[in-house]
Amino acid sequence: MINLQEQQAVKSITTAVVNVNGCKIAEGYIKEGVTYVLVRAVAEALGASVGFNAATRTVEITSSR
């Protein structure tokens, strides 16, 4: 069950859509001026590959360009 404070927070979320070359590739949200989207969706749409380095807890985006 969602309490009133959580319910108000959910209502105030602003959604964001990411388009690459006119094609929708990801949906996310905007919170406090920062846009959050899935990095894998954006990177792969731009032709890059994505990996995760567990030792450093780092996302690594690699492009052949």
Side-chain angles (χ1 to χ4, degrees), residues 1-2 4 9 16 22 24 36 39 42 44-46 48-49 55 60 62:
M1 177 157 223
I2 298 175
L4 182 59
K24 178 180 165 184
Y36 295 87
V39 69
V42 174
E44 288 179 352
L46 296 171
S49 47
E60 298 174 347
T62 307

Side-chain angles (χ1 to χ4, degrees), residues 5-6 12 26 31 36 44 55 57-58 63 65:
Q5 186 176 16
E6 290 172 329
S12 68
K31 180 179 178 183
Y36 295 87
E44 288 179 352
R57 298 179 51 85
T58 305
S63 175
R65 294 186 215 181

Side-chain angles (χ1 to χ4, degrees), residues 11-29:
K11 287 182 183 178
S12 68
I13 293 175
T14 303
T15 60
V17 175
V18 176
N19 293 318
V20 173
N21 296 327
C23 296
K24 178 180 165 184
I25 55 125
E27 286 190 20
Y29 63 93

